[in-house]
């Protein structure tokens, strides 16, 4: 080092070992770093998935005076009288329909009716109550007063349900197993079977068959079969003209039921179902709810 230049004192301490005064400390020549910015939230773009049903959640605006009736659901074991015949049944009220079953696992009911057909619900003593359909009535007995009050209030609150649409076809028919002369009708995409015409007029059915899981096939000169996943129903009619009418009506209702089924909608929207499940041709026109396939006509 050249002579005449003095060496600056050390920044850490003086020659005597003491800490230097603040005036002797050199100021930093680099400015402090800026404060960190808050992290920005990254918005993920939602990509729609294939083969899904998109339903609008917007409620339709109706007039202020319009009231929406909520569906009532209830089920329990009940003692049941139809005339002098007594049995214990599993009763189920699901929205507008009340069904009676011998066992909870049965597919064919002992009785089924639309709640709009009920004209009166009468309370009686010892847990009993009666459901009237005009001049006809069914008698029930609950095992407690709480269950009795529940059924009476549920049936009375459900009577405001709208009546079903008029039937597409109805008339006498013979069921083969067991062989019995009955009355049947087709409406709301369901085949309803009644013990007689009087029960049809008051709306008290024996059992019903949903047509969205059914298929109709001719089974003889004046007979046809209604095939479902749980049972095959065999029917006979009086003439070939009646056979043609019943088959055409049931086939039209089955096509309508399949086109309105949620299962059919999922089949149509699935991108995998682009070819016929039977012959392999492109752009099939029919959806089979039973087989979960798209088929050609």
């Amino acid at each position: 080092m050249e002579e005449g230049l003095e060496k600056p004192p050390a920044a850490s301490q003086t020659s005597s070992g003491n800490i230097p005064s603040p005036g002797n400390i050199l100021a930093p020549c680099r400015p402090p770093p800026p404060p960190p910015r808050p992290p920005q939230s990254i918005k993920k773009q939602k990509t729609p998935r294939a083969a899904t049903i998109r339903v609008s959640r917007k409620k339709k605006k109706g007039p202020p005076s319009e009231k929406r009736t909520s569906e009532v659901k209830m089920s329990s074991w009940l003692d049941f009288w139809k005339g002098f015949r007594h049995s214990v049944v599993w009763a189920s009220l699901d929205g507008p329909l009340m069904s009676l079953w011998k066992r909870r696992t049965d597919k064919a009911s002992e009785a089924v009716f639309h709640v709009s057909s009920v004209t009166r619900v009468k309370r009686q003593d010892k847990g009993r109550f009666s459901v009237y359909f005009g001049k006809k009535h069914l008698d029930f007995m609950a095992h407690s007063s709480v269950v009795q009050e529940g059924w009476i209030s549920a049936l009375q609150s459900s009577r405001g349900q709208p009546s079903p649409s008029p039937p597409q076809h109805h008339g006498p028919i013979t069921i083969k197993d067991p062989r019995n002369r009955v009355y049947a009708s087709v409406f709301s995409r369901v085949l309803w079977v009644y013990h007689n015409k009087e029960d049809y007029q008051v709306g008290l059915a024996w059992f019903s068959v949903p047509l969205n899981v059914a298929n109709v096939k001719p089974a003889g000169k004046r007979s046809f079969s209604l095939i479902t996943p749980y049972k095959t129903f065999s029917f006979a009619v009086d003439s070939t003209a009646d056979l043609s009418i019943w088959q055409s009506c049931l086939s039209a209702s089955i096509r309508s039921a399949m086109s309105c089924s949620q299962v059919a909608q999922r089949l149509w929207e699935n991108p995998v179902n682009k070819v016929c499940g039977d012959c392999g041709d492109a752009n099939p026109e029919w959806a089979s709810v039973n087989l979960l396939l798209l088929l050609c006509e």
Side-chain angles (χ1 to χ4, degrees):
M1 186 176 293
E2 297 179 359
E3 296 181 359
L5 295 178
E6 296 182 356
K7 185 177 180 181
S12 58
Q13 60 181 5
T14 58
S15 58
S16 60
N18 297 329
I19 298 174
S21 62
N24 296 331
I25 299 177
L26 297 177
C29 58
R30 183 177 296 177
R37 296 181 180 180
Q40 297 181 355
S41 59
I42 302 174
K43 296 183 179 180
K44 296 182 179 180
Q45 296 182 354
K46 296 183 179 180
T47 57
R49 296 182 299 173
T52 57
I53 299 175
R54 296 172 180 83
V55 182
S56 176
R57 296 185 179 180
K58 295 181 179 179
K59 297 182 179 180
K60 297 181 180 180
K61 295 182 179 180
S65 59
E66 183 181 359
K67 294 182 179 180
R68 302 179 184 272
T69 58
S70 58
E71 292 187 351
V72 180
K73 293 187 178 183
M74 187 171 181
S75 58
S76 71
W77 289 102
L78 294 174
D79 285 81
F80 168 60
W81 286 268
K82 188 177 182 181
F84 295 99
R85 188 179 63 182
H86 168 263
S87 59
V88 179
V89 296
W90 176 256
S92 173
L93 177 62
D94 189 356
L97 294 179
M98 181 171 178
S99 306
L100 308 178
W101 317 83
K102 279 187 177 180
R103 292 180 295 269
R104 297 176 63 175
T105 57
D106 287 349
K107 300 299 182 181
S109 61
E110 291 294 301
V112 57
F113 56 85
H114 197 279
V115 292
S116 61
S117 303
V118 178
T119 57
R120 183 187 176 192
V121 181
K122 182 180 179 181
R123 180 186 287 102
Q124 299 180 7
D125 58 348
K126 297 181 180 180
R128 297 173 179 262
F129 62 95
S130 300
V131 181
Y132 283 80
F133 309 85
K135 295 181 180 180
K136 284 199 168 189
H137 67 279
L138 303 177
D139 297 323
F140 300 93
M141 185 179 72
H143 299 286
S144 66
S145 58
V146 177
V147 178
Q148 177 197 25
E149 290 297 328
W151 275 107
I152 293 175
S153 60
L155 288 170
Q156 289 178 344
S157 60
S158 300
R159 288 178 57 191
Q161 296 283 347
S163 301
S165 58
Q168 286 84 15
H169 183 63
H170 61 92
I173 199 171
T174 301
I175 186 170
K176 294 184 177 181
D177 186 21
R179 189 170 185 85
N180 194 4
R181 187 70 170 177
V182 296
Y183 202 89
S185 66
V186 179
F187 66 89
S188 299
R189 305 181 184 93
V190 178
L191 174 66
W192 302 82
V193 180
Y194 309 83
H195 286 288
N196 47 54
K197 188 175 182 179
E198 185 180 0
D199 286 353
Y200 162 74
Q201 292 174 345
V202 300
L204 180 58
W206 177 11
F207 63 89
S208 62
V209 181
L211 297 178
N212 63 333
V213 293
N215 189 18
V216 60
K217 288 185 177 181
K221 188 175 181 180
R222 292 177 298 178
S223 304
F224 66 90
S225 297
L226 192 63
I227 304 171
T228 66
Y230 54 89
K231 187 178 179 179
T232 298
F233 300 90
S234 299
F235 298 96
V237 293
D238 298 333
S239 63
T240 55
D242 291 340
L243 177 63
S244 177
I245 293 174
W246 276 107
Q247 283 185 335
S248 60
C249 181
L250 288 171
S251 298
S253 297
I254 289 172
R255 288 194 298 267
S256 176
M258 286 186 174
S259 63
C260 297
S261 175
Q262 292 184 359
V263 179
Q265 292 181 17
R266 290 182 179 272
L267 290 175
W268 283 114
E269 295 185 3
N270 193 335
V272 179
N273 295 327
K274 297 298 183 182
V275 296
C276 175
D278 184 24
C279 63
D281 290 345
N283 301 322
E285 298 179 357
W286 295 94
S288 175
V289 179
N290 300 347
L291 302 176
L292 300 178
L293 294 174
L294 295 184
L295 304 171
C296 296
E297 186 174 1

